[in-house]
Amino acid sequence: MKQRTLWSASLVAGLVVLAGCGSASDPDSASGGSKGKLVVWDWKSGDATASSYVKKAKADFAKRHPGVTVEFVAQPFEQYYTLLGAAIQAGKGPDVMLFNGGGQIRDRVDSLLPLDEYVRDDRKRLAGWEAFTKDSKTYAAPVTLQGHPIYYNKSLYRKAGLDPEQPAASWDEFVADCRTISKATGARCFAQGNKEGIGIQFFLSGLGSGVLSPTEYDDWIAGERDWSSPAVKRVFSLWKEADDKGLNNDGANSTAMFNDAFAVFQSHKAAHVIGLMSDIGHWKDFAEFLDAGNVGVMKSPVVTAGATPSLPYDGGIGYAVAKWTKDPEVAADLVRSLTSTDVLKSFYADAGAIAADRTVDVSSGGPAVATIVSEIDRGKPALHVALPSKTVDLMGRLSQQLLSGSVTVDAAVKQLAASDQAG
Amino acid sequence: MLRLWPLGLGVSFSFTGDGERNGATVGLDNYAELIDDPLFRTALRNVGLLVLLLPVAVAIPGLLATFIYLRVPGHRFFRSVYFFPAVLSPVIVGAIFNLLLAFDGPLNAVLGGSGVGPVDWLGDPDVAIFAVVGVHIWATSGMALVVFLAGFATLDSALLDAARVDGASLARMIWHVIVPGLARTIRFVVVTTTIGMLTSMFGLLYVMTSGGPEGSTYLPEYYIWVQQGQMSRPALASAASTVLFLIMLAVGLLQVGLLRRAGRED
């Protein structure tokens, strides 16, 4: 027994002696694809709706670099950043990789190549660059725009005797309309899901421009966030108030945002949902169930006087280049092929995503997409995208605590301020 | 070497920094951050809760095996039914119970019909961890039941017959004959169930609650995954996994101790 205990103790001691040797993430490891081959990681190329997009991008790139093979490796989205994190730590990741805009890419810029000198000519044609920028350097070129429009079900408005073309412009009118709709149709006001804590991100960005003044909004995006301001607190009190007043579907904390909440909206059980502009939960998805003519898009109602509601959007997804790639210029050229106009047209047509390219024609997409696109020029970056991912994660948990009443708005914003400051 | 080297690297990484301090030796900073992190503390508290729930997780398959051994009507059918969930993937089990336990799902419909208000099984922070552990026990008790049935095969049936002749009630037979006779089997099931609860709940947790609501269902494994994959904090994740490793080492030593004691009784 004593000998075995000695062995166990020696093993633990040996492990501790190793302390301090090496690091979990080794930035100096060199690797990447070999010359003549580029490896791309994403979570899109496996989708049927993206196949013609990938095919066209490959063809466009092959015209300019006939000797370079491009291999797409589609990863499952749920595991994507875990797998990418492991690859980055090993220094043996792909040459080109897909990122969501915001915290996910900003947290990993140490491993990425600044693309500014390669994408200079695409600057004006594409929108949404800010979501892929850190410290004035651009690390990815945008493929889609991602935003959080408030979608509404026009048929429920009609059934309730409301004018579906004139949704409420103020919060009080909005709540009154919701009461009318609920009475007439039984549908709730919001399809809300918060099982993963994602609901608050949609709520903050979807309604934030109706609460914060334009100056305060711009300061927030610029990183000067005053968490103690009454308007910021109002967003979080509104979150709780909406649930307390029964505006959300029941059991929001056990309902997932993706799939569940959107299903509630699509099945006429809720009149509004704060959705997306690309991927899922967007105009094209909803149109399959509600008919394109019944899918309305509205801006946030004005909650506090002086607020100027606008469409919240950023670059949605974009391709970045690893700094370990053997030939940065060629890899950047692949990114340019993946974001060229003809290629993005396919992505819009097949997947329904709002492409980052302003020159893509969307006139056949129906009224909802026309409204969204018409608001892009007046739109502003989404509030939650500007936050560090750690703060977003904390905000998810606090949002659940707000709903259950186990934290006050003041205590929640205090914790968020501390997390935001720590970065 | 192949087994110990990765383990050593993991421990080594836990003493380095993340982000801007990447690669720099930071001493015990990561461990200090873990102690300060309420989420990690919740994860450790839940480990304690699992240990407290262990008797339930062992008693359920034990009782079911007893009923089967005592040949309740339809025992062959029940033996298959109880074992069936053991061959299901935790992802499928989680998805099925997500539907059953949804706020507007069938279980709440039944409760509503019987006059009891709906329960937010996966959305109430006081309830969610019990819902997940309950589903885990449902899914894994089949394997423990098989072990118990194997243990019953070694039980001296003459003792049970004698108890019956003496007119002992079922409860007395379980307490005075079956439990002492199955002591070794019970110890084995306790140890394997503990290890299963500490290391095999990730899939179920991921599908059913994603650590929520309010972080109330976090376990160390899930915390490690979030820090490594979502927060890009591999060194902090290494520190958390070292803590989990130490917990598992303690459980492992306990297992060795228990089995040795059981062996001595032979």
Side-chain angles (χ1 to χ4, degrees):
Chain A
M1 174 66 191
K2 273 182 184 173
Q3 200 178 7
R4 289 188 184 199
T5 310
L6 199 64
W7 265 106
S8 304
S10 309
L11 170 64
V12 174
L15 294 173
V16 173
V17 166
L18 284 166
C21 307
S23 77
S25 172
D26 186 352
D28 298 326
S29 304
S31 185
S34 60
K35 269 210 162 180
K37 185 183 177 185
L38 288 174
V39 177
V40 185
W41 275 21
D42 63 10
W43 61 88
K44 283 281 165 204
S45 55
D47 294 355
T49 52
S51 70
S52 81
Y53 163 73
V54 170
K55 210 180 277 176
K56 279 189 179 173
K58 274 182 164 178
D60 182 76
F61 180 73
K63 267 188 247 164
R64 284 175 289 139
H65 301 280
V68 182
T69 315
V70 179
E71 184 192 347
F72 277 81
V73 182
Q75 307 282 8
F77 179 67
E78 298 78 18
Q79 298 294 324
Y80 185 74
Y81 289 106
T82 308
L83 295 170
L84 194 61
I88 286 172
Q89 284 145 39
K92 296 192 185 300
D95 301 275
V96 174
M97 52 198 112
L98 188 62
F99 274 103
N100 290 102
Q104 293 291 13
I105 189 167
R106 289 193 185 115
D107 287 352
R108 293 170 174 85
V109 294
D110 289 349
S111 314
L112 304 176
L113 189 76
L115 293 180
D116 301 84
E117 62 173 303
Y118 304 107
V119 297
R120 206 166 285 136
D121 293 344
D122 301 328
R123 277 273 165 200
K124 279 188 183 163
R125 181 176 56 88
L126 299 173
W129 293 95
E130 296 81 4
F132 304 107
T133 301
K134 187 177 183 185
D135 299 332
S136 307
K137 286 181 184 164
T138 306
Y139 291 92
V143 172
T144 62
L145 298 180
Q146 184 61 285
H148 302 271
I150 302 172
Y151 293 95
Y152 64 99
N153 184 334
K154 290 185 179 180
S155 67
L156 289 178
Y157 269 66
R158 258 181 241 112
K159 276 183 199 164
L162 299 169
D163 180 358
E165 304 310 323
Q166 298 292 327
S170 76
W171 178 253
D172 290 340
E173 284 171 32
F174 179 76
V175 173
D177 284 358
C178 282
R179 297 241 182 272
T180 309
I181 292 169
S182 292
K183 219 174 194 176
T185 68
R188 291 296 179 93
C189 183
F190 280 119
Q192 179 62 267
N194 200 40
K195 181 178 169 182
E196 332 85 329
I198 292 176
I200 187 69
Q201 298 174 32
F202 284 49
F203 192 86
L204 170 66
S205 290
L207 294 172
S209 67
V211 185
L212 271 58
S213 71
T215 312
E216 203 164 12
Y217 198 106
D218 294 341
D219 287 347
W220 176 289
I221 300 299
E224 292 155 22
R225 292 180 277 276
D226 179 6
W227 287 93
S228 61
S229 95
V232 171
K233 287 183 181 177
R234 181 72 183 117
V235 176
F236 292 94
S237 65
L238 200 67
W239 163 260
K240 181 161 172 55
E241 189 183 307
D243 202 58
D244 288 348
K245 283 185 174 173
L247 300 185
N248 296 334
N249 53 281
D250 282 331
N253 264 352
S254 60
T255 303
M257 185 79 225
F258 291 91
N259 303 328
D260 296 0
F262 296 138
V264 168
F265 176 69
Q266 285 167 184
S267 55
H268 301 266
K269 289 178 184 162
H272 307 84
V273 70
I274 303 170
L276 295 166
M277 279 160 56
S278 67
D279 298 303
I280 61 165
H282 67 335
W283 59 279
K284 195 170 182 178
D285 270 357
F286 299 147
E288 285 176 26
F289 297 88
L290 305 178
D291 294 331
N294 280 330
V295 182
V297 175
M298 62 185 282
K299 281 188 280 189
S300 167
V302 174
V303 181
T304 51
T308 312
S310 59
L311 175 72
Y313 81 95
D314 297 87
I317 53 173
Y319 283 99
V321 174
K323 73 175 182 186
W324 53 71
T325 192
K326 295 280 191 285
D327 194 338
E329 201 166 328
V330 176
D333 243 13
L334 177 59
V335 171
R336 294 198 67 202
S337 288
L338 285 159
T339 52
S340 64
T341 302
D342 275 350
V343 172
L344 289 180
K345 262 183 202 168
S346 286
F347 201 59
Y348 160 74
D350 296 344
I354 305 289
D357 191 325
R358 291 155 186 261
T359 62
V360 172
D361 179 21
V362 295
S363 55
S364 59
V369 72
T371 309
I372 291 170
V373 172
S374 71
E375 291 295 334
I376 282 176
D377 282 339
R378 288 185 293 274
K380 289 185 177 185
L383 294 174
H384 78 273
V385 178
L387 297 174
S389 42
K390 198 176 175 184
T391 308
V392 171
D393 185 57
L394 174 65
M395 189 168 70
R397 283 194 300 281
L398 287 170
S399 71
Q400 293 167 330
Q401 290 179 319
L402 281 168
L403 292 191
S404 70
S406 59
V407 75
T408 62
V409 170
D410 283 342
V413 293
K414 204 173 167 187
Q415 286 187 52
L416 289 167
S419 167
D420 191 20
Q421 205 167 18
Chain B
M1 192 64 187
L2 283 172
R3 283 168 185 267
L4 292 182
W5 182 243
L7 205 62
L9 276 182
V11 177
S12 165
F13 291 160
S14 73
F15 295 101
T16 66
D18 287 314
E20 286 170 3
R21 297 200 297 168
N22 180 32
T25 303
V26 298
L28 294 171
D29 282 11
N30 289 323
Y31 292 92
E33 191 174 340
L34 283 180
I35 292 166
D36 281 346
D37 189 346
L39 205 55
F40 189 69
R41 291 203 299 268
T42 304
L44 289 184
R45 252 200 315 276
N46 282 341
V47 168
L49 184 69
L50 291 184
V51 173
L52 289 177
L53 290 172
L54 197 65
V56 180
V58 175
I60 289 173
L63 280 174
L64 293 177
T66 305
F67 294 146
I68 288 172
Y69 179 73
L70 296 177
R71 299 180 187 280
V72 290
H75 61 276
R76 285 196 182 86
F77 171 74
F78 286 125
R79 191 167 51 191
S80 313
V81 168
Y82 295 146
F83 184 72
F84 183 62
V87 296
L88 283 176
S89 149
V91 176
I92 299 299
V93 171
I96 291 167
F97 274 90
N98 267 355
L99 293 173
L100 293 175
L101 300 177
F103 194 84
D104 55 355
L107 183 59
N108 274 341
V110 171
L111 288 178
S114 59
V116 184
V119 178
D120 200 354
W121 296 103
L122 302 175
D124 185 333
D126 297 327
V127 175
I129 186 72
F130 294 100
V132 177
V133 175
V135 173
H136 176 80
I137 292 171
W138 177 88
T140 58
S141 60
M143 201 56 86
L145 180 134
V146 169
V147 176
F148 272 119
L149 286 177
F152 272 115
T154 64
L155 198 66
D156 187 354
S157 58
L159 285 173
L160 279 175
D161 292 339
R164 269 198 202 102
V165 169
D166 288 347
S169 66
L170 178 65
R172 279 178 177 273
M173 267 170 35
I174 290 174
W175 188 246
H176 293 292
V177 180
I178 293 177
V179 169
L182 292 183
R184 286 178 64 195
T185 309
I186 291 170
R187 284 193 196 107
F188 180 77
V189 172
V190 165
V191 172
T192 51
T193 306
T194 309
I195 292 171
M197 280 175 124
L198 292 181
T199 60
S200 307
M201 281 187 63
F202 178 87
L204 206 56
L205 206 60
Y206 180 80
V207 174
M208 288 186 70
T209 62
S210 305
E214 306 181 20
S216 63
T217 56
Y218 261 72
L219 284 173
E221 256 192 313
Y222 191 77
Y223 181 89
I224 291 161
W225 179 79
V226 168
Q227 295 303 330
Q228 152 67 24
Q230 310 297 301
M231 298 291 129
S232 202
R233 303 282 314 270
L236 186 69
S238 298
S241 59
T242 303
V243 173
L244 181 60
F245 165 72
L246 291 174
I247 292 171
M248 294 310 300
L249 194 68
V251 172
L253 290 174
L254 180 75
Q255 180 187 28
V256 170
L258 281 173
L259 290 177
R260 186 174 294 124
R261 270 182 60 193
R264 267 208 302 270
E265 282 172 15
D266 265 350

